[in-house]
Amino acid sequence: MLEEKQGTIAEIIFHNSENGYTVAIFETETDAFTAVGNLPAVTAGRSYILQGEFTTHPVYGEQFSIKSFEEVMPSTEDGIREFLASEAMKGIGRKTAAAIVSVFGTDTLRVIEEEPHRLTDVPGIGKKTAERISLAFGKHRGFASIVLYLQQFGINAEYAMKLYRVYGSGTIEAVKENPYRLVEDIFGVGFKKADKIADRMGVARDDEFRIKSGVKFTLSYFAGEGNTFLPQDMLCEKAGQLLDLPIELIGEQLIDMAFEGDIYIEKLDGRNAVFLAAYYLAEQNVCKCLSAINDAQLKPVAGGIDSLISRTENATGIYLSENQKHAVKTSLQMGVSIITGGPGTGKTTIINTIINILEESGLKTAIAAPTGRAAKRITETSGHYASTIHRLLEYYFSESENMMRFGKTKEDPLDYDAVIVDEASMIDLILMNGLVSAIRPGTRLVIVGDADQLPSVGAGNVLRDMISSEYIYSTKLTEIFRQAKESMIVVNAHRINHGEYPDCNAKGKDFFLLRRSAEKEMLETIKTLCLKRLPDYYSDISPTADIQVLTPVRKGLLGSINLNRELQDVLNPPCAELEEKQFGDRIFREGDKVMQIKNNYQMTWKNLEDFTEGEGVFNGDIGVIHRVDREFNEVTVVYDEVRYVTYNFNQLDELELAYAITVHKSQGSEFPIVIMPVSWFPPVLATRSLLYTAITRGKKQVYIVGNPGYLHAMTDNNQSRSRNSGLCARLVGLYGMV
């Protein structure tokens, strides 16, 4: 049962300005208590009526969990003075606040709200200052009234803040008009939440806004599973289940939505396929652009290709196989080409050869990859600078449109004679659309990747679709070279890829299986490997820098969340010398291994070796916390041992602990030593492609910890989640027209 508490904030322990999540000490006339919940723009000294319940946290003890609140405006002169000088009324300051209260006393807030012109009676306050104070108070009261109004529909302060940032003073009107617009406009508001709000507002279950929103949500949900479309009958079934409505009503609205341009319906492979507009237009444009690039005349290289290859071989001392030479030739002769193959098949050697020939020919070349880690690895292995695809396309935030945009487009294309893209299995449809749109015909596009790796996180199956279509010439590398054959990591990767069980624990080799039955045993073994066994055996390795734990899942005993907690406790335990900062349910401590989990192109960094500066920290970048500064509310992270990046405390949602990461997060990266638990995992994740992807991340050693039966089951499970994508069929259509 909810209870009501009225109190004043005595101390703010934690506050996230992005979502309003707050931990604060409240004082009443008789006692004090810790309250946890969403309170926007909190400052010490402000009073609230809170509704909620007391709960007991296993670590932090008794807390009052806030369900709703109402701010109580101060009524005493001291309280009013503190309020006016607080962050809620920015720009007033203590001196001006005291002057205002000295004139109007306890009537101050009424005067500001109802008679703001009287503020000019206060010495030092002119007309403009009076207007500014009135406006600030109006915004504060306006937001408070919006929060209070929205609470009745189950919208807490966190989401109220998000709504207010988008709709401003028109928030209430926007919600009243169509609560389902929140699904598209507000990050974190799913259909079910919007549906609850609509139900409380009395919206009919067969309302057209509700049905259309349900259809869009269903398509978006399955896009998150990798699908660019859904068959119409499947869409009607799934949307009908979501909305609890007959499928006939769903079908009727599809026609209207198609006319309005929200969706596209197309006959594809003998069935009606329904696309969200963004994915339909992206597939169409990718095909159009690939066709234009493929058919365009190219700038010639400087001489015969065979002689150029020979010259490069003699200069580097690395000699190519006939299949590798063929891959180089086709890449130089064709507008678009694909090179695909597993580990040890020489993809890097081919890339380097292509780059050398292009440079010798005076042709300007760009090299890119989907992630920062992958780009860094290419730079290290090739000796040529590689960027992320997003950076290559000058991805930026458009303030006028309030969204991210590519700076390089069809209208302002990339100025290169060749673009080489590695780790192409990670490229989703939307990113591919941005890339090919910015490549002008006459530019060579060389796409390199391992089609057997996990597909992209985003919608589409771009690399596999392009290969399957046979419209774009593809060279498949199958030969494992002598040096690579000496590695059981490489050998076992190919064995697994062919459905054969890995050969483990060969003496003097690099692929090991540590047999453990229970998950607790696996967890303890992983901790011991990281803390003691491997560092003791290999004196030159660092548990933080050289060992990476990979796992298929985020949740559970062997999920990345729990593994990170456990590994943090043993590898970097709390101590008096190490400052730390709690952020939500995570603790960030000096010395912790962390990962950036989203692209931030505006984040600045400093290289303290050569004193250079730059911008950009990318999803997948792994670093170490150098300093936690409580005085300035900052955390400094060092990436690549030299790049120092400073985060404000409210930016810590961009970081996660990285002692353990998911296999999906590891794509495009390599680590000296990889450790992976193998237990029962959901069959959709316990797949051959995931296992293959995981072990190919290891450069020197791979340790599998778990049950051999589950390892074999993963090898046998070749049921990669099929994706609905129209790109292959569209490219086949182009192939038929050639």
Side-chain angles (χ1 to χ4, degrees):
M1 185 175 176
L2 296 182
E3 61 179 291
E4 190 171 279
K5 299 281 288 184
Q6 181 171 344
T8 301
I9 297 177
E11 181 184 355
I12 300 168
I13 298 172
F14 172 80
H15 178 69
N16 185 338
S17 60
E18 289 295 309
N19 58 24
Y21 181 79
T22 302
V23 180
I25 305 295
F26 276 78
E27 289 183 347
T28 69
E29 292 182 357
T30 57
D31 64 351
F33 61 93
T34 301
V36 179
N38 297 106
L39 291 172
V42 294
T43 54
R46 292 169 70 174
S47 298
Y48 294 87
I49 296 173
L50 308 175
Q51 281 197 323
E53 58 187 349
F54 279 102
T55 60
T56 301
H57 191 279
V59 177
Y60 304 110
E62 189 178 64
Q63 299 176 332
F64 187 82
S65 179
I66 303 169
K67 305 301 180 184
S68 64
F69 68 90
E70 180 182 355
E71 185 174 3
V72 179
M73 298 306 292
S75 56
T76 66
E77 290 190 5
D78 286 344
I80 294 169
R81 202 162 34 243
E82 287 299 315
F83 169 74
L84 293 179
S86 72
E87 289 185 13
M89 297 289 288
K90 287 182 179 179
I92 293 181
R94 290 193 171 277
K95 188 176 178 181
T96 303
I100 296 171
V101 174
S102 70
V103 173
F104 301 113
T106 57
D107 200 33
T108 294
L109 298 182
R110 188 198 64 78
V111 169
I112 294 174
E113 186 171 23
E114 299 176 8
E115 302 175 277
H117 61 278
R118 290 181 58 194
L119 291 172
T120 56
D121 295 345
V122 180
I125 294 182
K127 187 177 178 181
K128 286 187 177 180
T129 302
E131 289 175 352
R132 180 167 53 79
I133 293 171
S134 174
L135 183 64
F137 186 74
K139 282 184 177 179
H140 177 81
R141 295 290 284 172
F143 178 63
S145 64
I146 288 170
V147 171
L148 198 60
Y149 175 82
L150 295 177
Q151 282 180 1
Q152 65 183 304
F153 304 118
I155 303 175
N156 64 24
E158 175 184 358
Y159 288 104
M161 185 179 289
K162 290 180 178 180
L163 266 61
Y164 187 74
R165 288 192 179 119
V166 175
Y167 305 127
S169 59
T171 298
I172 292 174
E173 289 71 23
V175 175
K176 282 181 177 178
E177 180 187 351
N178 178 15
Y180 294 101
R181 68 187 294 184
L182 306 186
V183 180
E184 297 179 44
D185 294 347
I186 311 298
F187 178 78
V189 177
F191 178 81
K192 290 184 177 179
K193 182 177 283 291
D195 205 31
K196 283 183 180 178
I197 296 167
D199 185 57
R200 293 186 182 185
M201 296 178 70
V203 175
R205 296 190 62 75
D206 61 352
D207 184 272
E208 68 172 87
F209 283 135
R210 182 172 185 265
I211 297 175
K212 289 177 180 178
S213 180
V215 168
K216 287 182 184 179
F217 176 80
T218 302
L219 287 170
S220 296
Y221 174 83
F222 281 94
E225 299 289 304
N227 303 281
T228 63
F229 73 86
L230 281 184
Q232 185 171 332
D233 54 353
M234 182 180 176
L235 171 62
C236 289
E237 179 189 348
K238 296 295 183 182
Q241 291 171 358
L242 174 73
L243 298 164
D244 194 22
L245 290 173
I247 59 174
E248 293 78 14
L249 289 178
I250 312 298
E252 290 171 6
Q253 288 297 335
L254 292 184
I255 306 301
D256 285 347
M257 294 178 72
F259 275 114
E260 292 165 1
D262 292 329
I263 62 171
Y264 283 79
I265 305 174
E266 182 184 32
K267 188 73 79 175
L268 205 62
D269 291 334
R271 56 184 177 174
N272 280 347
V274 186
F275 295 78
L276 285 171
Y279 296 110
Y280 177 83
L281 296 172
E283 283 192 356
Q284 295 275 22
N285 191 60
V286 167
C287 288
K288 180 182 176 183
C289 291
L290 285 175
S291 177
I293 300 166
N294 210 33
D295 295 342
Q297 187 172 352
L298 306 171
K299 288 184 182 179
V301 292
I305 294 177
D306 286 323
S307 63
L308 288 169
I309 292 174
S310 295
R311 200 182 312 167
T312 303
E313 288 177 323
N314 292 331
T316 61
I318 300 172
Y319 295 89
L320 279 62
S321 70
E322 288 304 311
N323 199 29
Q324 287 180 310
K325 289 179 183 178
H326 181 72
V328 174
K329 288 179 183 179
T330 55
S331 299
L332 296 172
Q333 292 169 337
M334 295 186 172
V336 188
S337 59
I338 297 172
I339 301 167
T340 181
T345 55
K347 295 191 296 293
T348 300
T349 300
I350 293 170
I351 291 173
N352 290 341
T353 304
I354 294 169
I355 295 169
N356 290 335
I357 291 173
L358 290 169
E359 286 187 344
E360 189 176 335
S361 303
L363 300 177
K364 192 177 178 184
T365 306
I367 313 161
T371 67
R373 293 280 297 182
K376 181 189 174 194
R377 185 171 58 80
I378 297 164
T379 301
E380 291 170 347
T381 56
S382 72
H384 300 273
Y385 173 74
S387 73
T388 64
I389 297 173
H390 286 85
R391 178 169 284 281
L392 179 69
L393 299 178
E394 298 179 6
Y395 200 52
Y396 74 102
F397 181 76
S398 170
E399 292 190 4
S400 60
E401 299 174 286
N402 196 35
M403 63 187 301
M404 300 300 295
R405 286 286 191 191
F406 292 120
K408 291 297 177 182
T409 61
K410 183 180 180 180
E411 291 71 31
D412 183 18
L414 294 165
D415 184 23
Y416 293 100
D417 301 305
V419 175
I420 300 172
V421 181
D422 200 2
E423 296 288 352
S425 63
M426 301 171 64
I427 300 176
D428 62 30
L429 176 65
I430 299 302
L431 183 56
M432 189 65 179
N433 185 45
L435 176 64
V436 297
S437 296
I439 295 177
R440 63 191 176 193
T443 302
R444 292 171 174 83
L445 174 59
V446 183
I447 299 168
V448 185
D450 185 350
D452 295 315
Q453 297 276 354
L454 289 171
S456 61
V457 175
N461 213 357
V462 175
L463 180 60
R464 292 182 188 179
D465 280 353
M466 290 192 297
I467 294 171
S468 299
S469 74
E470 298 184 359
Y471 174 70
I472 297 166
Y473 194 88
S474 173
T475 303
K476 185 171 179 62
L477 306 172
T478 56
E479 183 182 355
I480 306 173
F481 291 93
R482 181 179 59 80
Q483 188 175 357
K485 285 181 180 177
E486 296 175 2
S487 167
M488 292 307 297
I489 296 174
V490 173
V491 171
N492 282 333
H494 287 272
R495 287 179 65 88
I496 290 167
N497 203 29
H498 291 110
E500 302 170 16
Y501 300 147
D503 184 3
C504 306
N505 302 331
K507 189 175 180 180
K509 295 296 184 178
D510 53 13
F511 194 100
F512 305 95
L513 170 64
L514 280 65
R515 297 169 180 258
R516 302 290 186 272
S517 299
E519 289 195 345
K520 286 185 178 179
E521 283 185 284
M522 298 177 202
L523 176 60
E524 291 306 314
T525 299
I526 291 170
K527 289 160 63 175
T528 304
L529 280 171
C530 293
L531 178 65
K532 189 166 178 62
R533 286 181 61 179
L534 292 177
D536 285 354
Y537 192 81
Y538 304 100
S539 58
D540 60 338
I541 72 163
S542 161
T544 301
D546 298 322
I547 300 174
Q548 185 60 60
V549 178
L550 303 181
T551 177
V553 295
R554 283 182 56 81
K555 297 181 179 179
L557 196 67
L558 299 175
S560 60
I561 296 171
N562 186 62
L563 281 168
N564 272 314
R565 291 196 193 104
E566 296 279 347
L567 290 168
Q568 183 188 44
D569 284 345
V570 296
L571 298 178
N572 193 34
C575 75
E577 289 75 29
L578 297 177
E579 192 67 72
E580 63 183 47
K581 169 64 182 175
Q582 183 169 349
F583 185 84
D585 59 353
R586 287 170 283 171
I587 293 173
F588 294 107
R589 185 175 297 127
E590 291 173 351
D592 274 337
K593 184 178 183 179
V594 292
M595 172 184 278
Q596 175 79 11
I597 59 172
K598 69 179 192 180
N599 291 328
N600 188 329
Y601 296 89
Q602 285 77 47
M603 183 75 83
T604 58
W605 52 262
K606 294 181 180 179
N607 187 324
L608 296 191
E609 279 194 354
D610 58 13
F611 301 103
T612 56
E613 297 184 6
E615 290 184 343
V617 188
F618 306 105
N619 184 11
D621 283 356
I622 293 177
V624 176
I625 295 179
H626 173 68
R627 187 180 182 192
V628 176
D629 190 330
R630 288 191 164 276
E631 182 179 354
F632 294 98
N633 293 334
E634 292 176 345
V635 172
T636 301
V637 179
V638 186
Y639 295 100
D640 309 320
E641 300 181 351
V642 294
R643 287 191 302 133
Y644 287 71
V645 179
T646 299
Y647 297 78
N648 293 322
F649 281 175
N650 61 10
Q651 293 176 297
L652 293 180
D653 59 345
E654 296 188 19
L655 293 176
E656 284 185 354
L657 293 174
Y659 300 101
I661 61 176
T662 64
V663 178
H664 285 84
K665 279 288 187 183
S666 75
Q667 287 179 268
S669 302
E670 284 186 342
F671 310 97
I673 299 174
V674 162
I675 301 172
M676 179 178 166
V678 173
S679 181
W680 183 92
F681 297 119
V684 71
L685 292 172
T687 64
R688 183 186 300 175
S689 62
L690 185 139
L691 179 61
Y692 173 80
T693 301
I695 68 171
T696 54
R697 302 307 93 200
K699 289 195 294 186
K700 296 180 179 179
Q701 291 180 331
V702 169
Y703 293 83
I704 304 294
V705 182
N707 189 318
Y710 287 125
L711 177 63
H712 294 168
M714 289 185 77
T715 305
D716 292 336
N717 182 8
N718 198 28
Q719 298 181 359
S720 58
R721 223 182 307 182
S722 62
R723 295 186 167 191
N724 293 310
S725 166
L727 184 61
C728 179
R730 299 185 198 284
L731 290 171
V732 168
L734 290 176
Y735 185 66
M737 294 187 289
V738 175

